[in-house]
Short mmCIF file of all heavy atoms in Angstrom, two decimals:
data_model
loop_
_atom_site.label_atom_id
_atom_site.label_comp_id
_atom_site.label_asym_id
_atom_site.label_seq_id
_atom_site.Cartn_x
_atom_site.Cartn_y
_atom_site.Cartn_z
N VAL O 942 -80.72 39.85 2.65
CA VAL O 942 -79.71 38.81 2.46
C VAL O 942 -78.79 39.11 1.28
O VAL O 942 -77.66 38.60 1.22
CB VAL O 942 -80.39 37.43 2.29
CG1 VAL O 942 -81.10 37.34 0.94
CG2 VAL O 942 -79.39 36.29 2.44
N LEU O 943 -79.23 39.96 0.37
CA LEU O 943 -78.39 40.33 -0.76
C LEU O 943 -77.69 41.68 -0.55
O LEU O 943 -77.24 42.30 -1.51
CB LEU O 943 -79.23 40.36 -2.06
CG LEU O 943 -79.76 39.00 -2.53
CD1 LEU O 943 -80.52 39.15 -3.85
CD2 LEU O 943 -78.62 38.00 -2.69
N SER O 944 -77.59 42.10 0.68
CA SER O 944 -76.82 43.31 0.96
C SER O 944 -75.38 43.13 0.49
O SER O 944 -74.75 42.09 0.72
CB SER O 944 -76.83 43.61 2.46
OG SER O 944 -78.13 43.96 2.89
N HIS O 945 -74.86 44.14 -0.17
CA HIS O 945 -73.53 44.06 -0.77
C HIS O 945 -72.46 43.75 0.28
O HIS O 945 -71.55 42.94 0.05
CB HIS O 945 -73.21 45.36 -1.50
CG HIS O 945 -72.01 45.28 -2.39
ND1 HIS O 945 -70.74 45.59 -1.97
CD2 HIS O 945 -71.90 44.90 -3.69
CE1 HIS O 945 -69.90 45.44 -2.97
NE2 HIS O 945 -70.57 45.01 -4.03
N ALA O 946 -72.59 44.37 1.45
CA ALA O 946 -71.57 44.19 2.49
C ALA O 946 -71.52 42.75 2.99
O ALA O 946 -70.44 42.26 3.38
CB ALA O 946 -71.85 45.13 3.66
N LEU O 947 -72.64 42.05 2.98
CA LEU O 947 -72.67 40.66 3.43
C LEU O 947 -71.86 39.77 2.50
O LEU O 947 -71.23 38.81 2.93
CB LEU O 947 -74.13 40.18 3.50
CG LEU O 947 -74.36 38.75 3.99
CD1 LEU O 947 -73.83 38.57 5.42
CD2 LEU O 947 -75.85 38.41 3.94
N HIS O 948 -71.83 40.12 1.23
CA HIS O 948 -71.14 39.30 0.23
C HIS O 948 -69.69 39.73 0.02
O HIS O 948 -68.83 38.90 -0.27
CB HIS O 948 -71.88 39.36 -1.10
CG HIS O 948 -73.24 38.75 -1.04
ND1 HIS O 948 -73.53 37.50 -1.54
CD2 HIS O 948 -74.41 39.22 -0.52
CE1 HIS O 948 -74.80 37.21 -1.34
NE2 HIS O 948 -75.37 38.25 -0.71
N TYR O 949 -69.41 41.02 0.16
CA TYR O 949 -68.10 41.54 -0.24
C TYR O 949 -67.38 42.34 0.85
O TYR O 949 -66.30 42.87 0.61
CB TYR O 949 -68.24 42.40 -1.50
CG TYR O 949 -68.87 41.66 -2.66
CD1 TYR O 949 -70.16 41.96 -3.10
CD2 TYR O 949 -68.18 40.64 -3.31
CE1 TYR O 949 -70.74 41.28 -4.16
CE2 TYR O 949 -68.74 39.95 -4.38
CZ TYR O 949 -70.03 40.27 -4.80
OH TYR O 949 -70.59 39.58 -5.84
N GLY O 950 -67.95 42.45 2.03
CA GLY O 950 -67.26 43.12 3.12
C GLY O 950 -67.13 44.62 3.00
O GLY O 950 -66.21 45.22 3.55
N THR O 951 -68.08 45.25 2.27
CA THR O 951 -68.00 46.70 2.05
C THR O 951 -68.71 47.44 3.17
O THR O 951 -69.83 47.94 3.01
CB THR O 951 -68.61 47.06 0.69
OG1 THR O 951 -69.89 46.39 0.57
CG2 THR O 951 -67.72 46.63 -0.45
N ALA O 952 -68.05 47.51 4.30
CA ALA O 952 -68.60 48.20 5.46
C ALA O 952 -67.47 48.70 6.33
O ALA O 952 -66.35 48.18 6.29
CB ALA O 952 -69.51 47.26 6.26
N VAL O 953 -67.76 49.73 7.10
CA VAL O 953 -66.82 50.25 8.09
C VAL O 953 -67.51 50.27 9.44
O VAL O 953 -68.74 50.36 9.52
CB VAL O 953 -66.29 51.65 7.72
CG1 VAL O 953 -65.44 51.59 6.46
CG2 VAL O 953 -67.43 52.64 7.54
N LEU O 954 -66.74 50.19 10.49
CA LEU O 954 -67.33 50.10 11.82
C LEU O 954 -66.50 50.86 12.84
O LEU O 954 -65.34 51.19 12.60
CB LEU O 954 -67.45 48.64 12.26
CG LEU O 954 -66.15 47.90 12.62
CD1 LEU O 954 -66.43 46.77 13.59
CD2 LEU O 954 -65.47 47.35 11.37
N GLU O 955 -67.11 51.09 13.98
CA GLU O 955 -66.43 51.66 15.13
C GLU O 955 -66.94 50.98 16.39
O GLU O 955 -68.12 50.60 16.47
CB GLU O 955 -66.67 53.17 15.25
CG GLU O 955 -65.73 54.01 14.41
CD GLU O 955 -64.27 53.85 14.78
OE1 GLU O 955 -63.96 53.77 15.99
OE2 GLU O 955 -63.44 53.79 13.85
N GLY O 956 -66.07 50.81 17.36
CA GLY O 956 -66.45 50.34 18.67
C GLY O 956 -66.14 51.44 19.67
O GLY O 956 -65.00 51.89 19.77
N THR O 957 -67.14 51.91 20.37
CA THR O 957 -67.00 53.02 21.31
C THR O 957 -67.61 52.57 22.63
O THR O 957 -68.36 51.60 22.68
CB THR O 957 -67.72 54.27 20.77
OG1 THR O 957 -67.38 54.43 19.40
CG2 THR O 957 -67.33 55.52 21.50
N LYS O 958 -67.28 53.24 23.72
CA LYS O 958 -67.78 52.80 25.02
C LYS O 958 -68.35 53.94 25.84
O LYS O 958 -67.88 55.08 25.78
CB LYS O 958 -66.66 52.12 25.81
CG LYS O 958 -66.96 50.66 26.09
CD LYS O 958 -65.93 50.01 26.97
CE LYS O 958 -66.47 48.69 27.50
NZ LYS O 958 -65.51 48.00 28.37
N VAL O 959 -69.38 53.59 26.60
CA VAL O 959 -69.96 54.49 27.59
C VAL O 959 -69.53 54.02 28.97
O VAL O 959 -69.58 52.82 29.27
CB VAL O 959 -71.50 54.48 27.50
CG1 VAL O 959 -72.12 55.29 28.63
CG2 VAL O 959 -71.96 55.02 26.15
N HIS O 960 -69.09 54.96 29.79
CA HIS O 960 -68.68 54.64 31.16
C HIS O 960 -69.50 55.47 32.14
O HIS O 960 -69.90 56.60 31.85
CB HIS O 960 -67.19 54.96 31.36
CG HIS O 960 -66.28 54.15 30.49
ND1 HIS O 960 -65.76 52.93 30.87
CD2 HIS O 960 -65.79 54.38 29.24
CE1 HIS O 960 -64.99 52.45 29.92
NE2 HIS O 960 -64.99 53.31 28.92
N ASP O 961 -69.72 54.91 33.29
CA ASP O 961 -70.39 55.63 34.36
C ASP O 961 -69.42 56.62 34.99
O ASP O 961 -68.26 56.28 35.26
CB ASP O 961 -70.91 54.65 35.41
CG ASP O 961 -72.00 55.27 36.28
OD1 ASP O 961 -72.47 56.37 35.94
OD2 ASP O 961 -72.37 54.65 37.29
N THR O 962 -69.84 57.84 35.21
CA THR O 962 -69.01 58.87 35.81
C THR O 962 -69.81 59.56 36.91
O THR O 962 -71.03 59.38 37.01
CB THR O 962 -68.58 59.94 34.77
OG1 THR O 962 -69.68 60.83 34.52
CG2 THR O 962 -68.14 59.30 33.46
N PRO O 963 -69.15 60.37 37.75
CA PRO O 963 -69.88 61.10 38.79
C PRO O 963 -70.97 62.02 38.22
O PRO O 963 -71.93 62.36 38.92
CB PRO O 963 -68.80 61.92 39.50
CG PRO O 963 -67.55 61.13 39.27
CD PRO O 963 -67.69 60.54 37.90
N GLN O 964 -70.84 62.41 36.97
CA GLN O 964 -71.83 63.27 36.33
C GLN O 964 -72.84 62.47 35.50
O GLN O 964 -73.64 63.04 34.77
CB GLN O 964 -71.14 64.29 35.41
CG GLN O 964 -70.37 65.37 36.15
CD GLN O 964 -69.07 64.85 36.75
OE1 GLN O 964 -68.36 64.07 36.12
NE2 GLN O 964 -68.76 65.27 37.97
N GLY O 965 -72.80 61.14 35.60
CA GLY O 965 -73.69 60.30 34.82
C GLY O 965 -72.96 59.62 33.68
O GLY O 965 -71.76 59.82 33.48
N PRO O 966 -73.66 58.80 32.90
CA PRO O 966 -73.01 58.08 31.80
C PRO O 966 -72.44 59.04 30.77
O PRO O 966 -73.06 60.06 30.44
CB PRO O 966 -74.12 57.21 31.22
CG PRO O 966 -75.39 57.83 31.68
CD PRO O 966 -75.10 58.47 32.99
N ALA O 967 -71.26 58.69 30.23
CA ALA O 967 -70.60 59.53 29.23
C ALA O 967 -69.88 58.64 28.22
O ALA O 967 -69.33 57.60 28.57
CB ALA O 967 -69.61 60.49 29.89
N VAL O 968 -69.90 59.07 26.97
CA VAL O 968 -69.22 58.35 25.90
C VAL O 968 -67.76 58.80 25.87
O VAL O 968 -67.47 60.00 25.89
CB VAL O 968 -69.87 58.61 24.54
CG1 VAL O 968 -69.27 57.68 23.48
CG2 VAL O 968 -71.38 58.42 24.61
N PHE O 969 -66.85 57.82 25.80
CA PHE O 969 -65.43 58.14 25.82
C PHE O 969 -64.91 58.36 24.41
O PHE O 969 -65.00 57.49 23.55
CB PHE O 969 -64.64 57.02 26.50
CG PHE O 969 -63.19 57.35 26.72
CD1 PHE O 969 -62.82 58.34 27.62
CD2 PHE O 969 -62.20 56.68 26.02
CE1 PHE O 969 -61.48 58.65 27.84
CE2 PHE O 969 -60.86 56.98 26.24
CZ PHE O 969 -60.50 57.97 27.14
N ARG O 970 -64.43 59.56 24.15
CA ARG O 970 -63.81 59.97 22.90
C ARG O 970 -64.71 59.70 21.69
O ARG O 970 -64.28 59.18 20.65
CB ARG O 970 -62.43 59.33 22.74
CG ARG O 970 -61.46 59.70 23.87
CD ARG O 970 -60.00 59.45 23.53
NE ARG O 970 -59.57 60.33 22.46
CZ ARG O 970 -58.31 60.32 21.97
NH1 ARG O 970 -57.41 59.49 22.49
NH2 ARG O 970 -57.97 61.13 20.99
N LEU O 971 -65.96 60.08 21.84
CA LEU O 971 -66.95 59.85 20.79
C LEU O 971 -66.55 60.49 19.48
O LEU O 971 -66.62 59.87 18.41
CB LEU O 971 -68.32 60.38 21.25
CG LEU O 971 -69.44 60.38 20.20
CD1 LEU O 971 -69.69 58.99 19.66
CD2 LEU O 971 -70.71 60.98 20.79
N ASP O 972 -66.15 61.75 19.51
CA ASP O 972 -65.86 62.45 18.26
C ASP O 972 -64.62 61.89 17.56
O ASP O 972 -64.55 61.88 16.33
CB ASP O 972 -65.70 63.95 18.51
CG ASP O 972 -67.04 64.61 18.82
OD1 ASP O 972 -68.03 64.26 18.16
OD2 ASP O 972 -67.11 65.45 19.73
N ALA O 973 -63.65 61.38 18.32
CA ALA O 973 -62.48 60.74 17.71
C ALA O 973 -62.91 59.47 16.98
O ALA O 973 -62.41 59.16 15.89
CB ALA O 973 -61.44 60.43 18.77
N HIS O 974 -63.81 58.71 17.59
CA HIS O 974 -64.29 57.49 16.94
C HIS O 974 -65.10 57.82 15.69
O HIS O 974 -64.95 57.15 14.65
CB HIS O 974 -65.14 56.68 17.92
CG HIS O 974 -64.34 55.88 18.90
ND1 HIS O 974 -63.75 54.69 18.56
CD2 HIS O 974 -64.03 56.10 20.19
CE1 HIS O 974 -63.11 54.20 19.60
NE2 HIS O 974 -63.26 55.05 20.61
N LEU O 975 -65.96 58.82 15.75
CA LEU O 975 -66.73 59.19 14.58
C LEU O 975 -65.84 59.73 13.47
O LEU O 975 -66.07 59.45 12.28
CB LEU O 975 -67.80 60.22 14.94
CG LEU O 975 -68.96 59.71 15.80
CD1 LEU O 975 -69.90 60.87 16.15
CD2 LEU O 975 -69.72 58.60 15.09
N ALA O 976 -64.80 60.47 13.83
CA ALA O 976 -63.87 60.97 12.82
C ALA O 976 -63.18 59.82 12.11
O ALA O 976 -62.99 59.86 10.88
CB ALA O 976 -62.84 61.89 13.48
N ARG O 977 -62.81 58.77 12.86
CA ARG O 977 -62.18 57.62 12.22
C ARG O 977 -63.17 56.88 11.34
O ARG O 977 -62.81 56.35 10.28
CB ARG O 977 -61.57 56.68 13.27
CG ARG O 977 -60.72 55.58 12.65
CD ARG O 977 -59.97 54.76 13.68
NE ARG O 977 -60.88 54.06 14.59
CZ ARG O 977 -60.46 53.28 15.59
NH1 ARG O 977 -59.17 53.12 15.82
NH2 ARG O 977 -61.34 52.68 16.37
N LEU O 978 -64.45 56.83 11.75
CA LEU O 978 -65.47 56.20 10.92
C LEU O 978 -65.55 56.88 9.56
O LEU O 978 -65.60 56.21 8.52
CB LEU O 978 -66.83 56.26 11.63
CG LEU O 978 -67.99 55.58 10.90
CD1 LEU O 978 -67.88 54.07 11.03
CD2 LEU O 978 -69.33 56.06 11.46
N TYR O 979 -65.52 58.21 9.56
CA TYR O 979 -65.59 58.95 8.31
C TYR O 979 -64.32 58.75 7.48
O TYR O 979 -64.39 58.64 6.24
CB TYR O 979 -65.85 60.43 8.57
CG TYR O 979 -67.30 60.73 8.83
CD1 TYR O 979 -67.83 60.66 10.12
CD2 TYR O 979 -68.16 61.05 7.79
CE1 TYR O 979 -69.17 60.90 10.36
CE2 TYR O 979 -69.51 61.29 8.02
CZ TYR O 979 -70.01 61.21 9.30
OH TYR O 979 -71.35 61.44 9.53
N ARG O 980 -63.16 58.70 8.13
CA ARG O 980 -61.92 58.44 7.39
C ARG O 980 -61.96 57.06 6.74
O ARG O 980 -61.60 56.90 5.57
CB ARG O 980 -60.71 58.55 8.31
CG ARG O 980 -60.38 59.95 8.77
CD ARG O 980 -58.97 60.05 9.33
NE ARG O 980 -58.72 59.14 10.44
CZ ARG O 980 -58.96 59.44 11.72
NH1 ARG O 980 -59.47 60.62 12.03
NH2 ARG O 980 -58.70 58.58 12.68
N SER O 981 -62.40 56.07 7.51
CA SER O 981 -62.47 54.71 6.98
C SER O 981 -63.42 54.65 5.79
O SER O 981 -63.12 54.01 4.77
CB SER O 981 -62.95 53.75 8.08
OG SER O 981 -62.03 53.69 9.16
N ALA O 982 -64.57 55.31 5.92
CA ALA O 982 -65.55 55.31 4.83
C ALA O 982 -64.98 55.95 3.57
O ALA O 982 -65.16 55.45 2.45
CB ALA O 982 -66.82 56.04 5.28
N LYS O 983 -64.27 57.05 3.75
CA LYS O 983 -63.68 57.72 2.60
C LYS O 983 -62.64 56.84 1.92
O LYS O 983 -62.57 56.79 0.68
CB LYS O 983 -63.04 59.05 3.04
CG LYS O 983 -62.55 59.90 1.88
CD LYS O 983 -62.11 61.27 2.36
CE LYS O 983 -61.72 62.16 1.20
NZ LYS O 983 -61.32 63.52 1.65
#
């Protein structure tokens, strides 16, 4: 309950999606989302 982010909003997030494809489930543009997560954190 005393996590810093809960009190001061010090967190970064990403929303990414998995879609069903003919080759099975796949994450759409996963590395682009992770790259933005790292940019936001920095």
Side-chain angles (χ1 to χ4, degrees):
V942 71
L943 293 182
S944 293
H945 193 269
L947 181 61
H948 295 258
Y949 303 109
T951 47
V953 294
L954 72 154
E955 276 299 319
T957 314
K958 243 185 165 180
V959 173
H960 298 270
D961 199 10
T962 77
Q964 289 74 42
V968 188
F969 187 67
R970 300 198 66 180
L971 172 58
D972 288 319
H974 281 281
L975 290 177
R977 189 172 63 180
L978 183 75
Y979 279 88
R980 290 197 302 272
S981 297
K983 187 172 185 179

